[in-house]
Amino acid sequence: MSSAVPVLERPTRIIAEPVAIPTAVPVASSGRTRVVGSAVLRLAKPLLAFALLLGAWELAPRFGLVDEVFLPPFSTVVQAFVELAGNGQLAEHTSASLTRSVTGFSFALVLAVPVGIAIAWYKPISDFLNPVLELFRNTAALALLPVFVLILGIGETSKIALIGYATFFPILLNTITGVRTVDPLLVKSAVSLGFSPLRLFQKVILPAAIPSIFTGIRMAAAGSILVLIAAEMIGARAGLGYLITAAQQNFQIPQMYAGIVAISLIGLGFNFALVALERRLSRWRTAPTNA
């Protein structure tokens, strides 16, 4: 008998094809990208609005839509602004205006916040001071300009006092509103935890009232610039209000608009600084602060 010899088959080589492994996108990097994109979008919108405004200002006089004598193109105003900055006049007038504005505003701030807290927190003080405050609150500051000049003279004191008077009431009223609208549950919870009156004020009342107080401070800062310009138009020899009036009387229209632009830039600077300070002091809030 013949025995069959088994035939060994050649082994087949199995080659596994590489499998593509998806690369994971880092979550942190994606989050940073979204934050940056959102910040750029928020910045682009106001910049676009400013660009459209300045473009209209530049083109309207050049195409004859308005009289170029009374509204020169924006590039002409920028040139006048640069000239005033170069010869030192802009710095001199800006320094005089800022000194008056900041001094009067500081006096109002130091006085209005404690008085507002006292009126909101203690009813006897509120009953005693409210009639007088209502009387002066409804009297326009500019209507009292001749009175301040007659009593305090035509110098710096009357201008600083007028600014302090005009900025006192927005801060006062918003301080009163902020303290009176504190959530009663927060106060009750703090009292139940054994907070003393001073600690209750420091940890609960004042932090909760900060947004309203800063609303008044921002309103007062804008008002201080407006009242200052009006006060400087009478009996001043330096300041942006004086610069605007002198340029208008001498028919230096580009210089007049340059002074107006300088006032606008100062107002924007005040607002941005106060918004940044408010956000820093109220970081505990979950809702974002509107500028």
Side-chain angles (χ1 to χ4, degrees):
M1 293 179 60
S2 61
S3 59
V5 179
V7 179
L8 299 177
E9 294 183 358
R10 188 175 180 179
T12 304
R13 179 180 296 178
I14 300 176
I15 301 176
E17 295 183 0
V19 179
I21 301 175
T23 304
V25 178
V27 178
S29 176
S30 177
R32 284 195 298 269
T33 303
R34 285 197 298 269
V35 170
V36 172
S38 177
V40 170
L41 184 61
R42 286 199 304 269
L43 185 62
K45 290 180 179 179
L47 289 180
L48 178 61
F50 276 116
L52 292 175
L53 174 63
L54 298 180
W57 185 355
E58 177 70 25
L59 296 177
R62 295 191 181 279
F63 284 97
L65 300 178
V66 293
D67 194 337
E68 188 173 347
V69 174
F70 301 107
L71 182 64
F74 179 69
S75 57
T76 305
V77 175
V78 171
Q79 183 179 357
F81 188 95
V82 172
E83 291 177 357
L84 289 173
N87 59 28
Q89 292 186 49
L90 187 63
E92 177 188 353
H93 295 299
T94 302
S95 176
S97 294
L98 283 178
T99 301
R100 295 166 184 151
S101 178
V102 172
T103 304
F105 177 78
S106 300
F107 278 126
L109 178 62
V110 171
L111 185 61
V113 172
V115 172
I117 293 172
I119 291 174
W121 200 245
Y122 299 104
K123 193 174 185 303
I125 298 179
S126 174
D127 295 338
F128 179 72
L129 292 179
N130 260 341
V132 178
L133 292 176
E134 285 296 323
L135 173 65
F136 285 103
R137 180 175 76 88
N138 291 288
T139 304
L142 293 180
L144 295 176
L145 176 58
V147 178
F148 279 93
V149 172
L150 287 174
I151 296 176
L152 301 175
I154 205 170
E156 298 297 311
T157 306
S158 60
K159 297 176 179 59
I160 292 173
L162 183 66
I163 294 169
Y165 175 86
T167 55
F168 175 81
F169 290 101
I171 302 174
L172 175 74
L173 297 177
N174 280 273
T175 301
I176 294 173
T177 302
V179 173
R180 286 180 175 173
T181 55
V182 175
D183 191 349
L185 291 177
L186 293 177
V187 179
K188 292 179 181 179
S189 300
V191 171
S192 65
L193 292 174
F195 278 34
S196 64
L198 180 60
R199 188 169 177 80
L200 174 66
F201 170 76
Q202 291 177 339
K203 299 297 183 180
V204 178
I205 303 299
L206 187 58
I210 277 179
S212 180
I213 294 174
F214 264 90
T215 299
I217 290 175
R218 291 168 62 186
M219 293 171 58
S224 69
I225 299 296
L226 298 176
V227 174
L228 169 69
I229 299 308
E232 287 180 341
M233 289 180 176
I234 301 176
R237 288 295 176 264
L240 292 174
Y242 168 77
L243 172 65
I244 293 171
T245 304
Q248 185 265 339
Q249 291 174 349
N250 294 321
F251 211 72
Q252 298 173 331
I253 305 302
Q255 285 78 1
M256 181 189 75
Y257 281 103
I260 296 173
V261 170
I263 293 170
S264 301
L265 294 177
I266 291 174
L268 284 175
F270 274 172
N271 184 69
F272 282 131
L274 291 173
V275 168
L277 182 59
E278 179 186 359
R279 286 175 175 169
R280 182 174 182 83
L281 294 177
S282 57
R283 285 178 295 180
W284 53 271
R285 298 172 61 200
T286 55
T289 304
N290 293 327

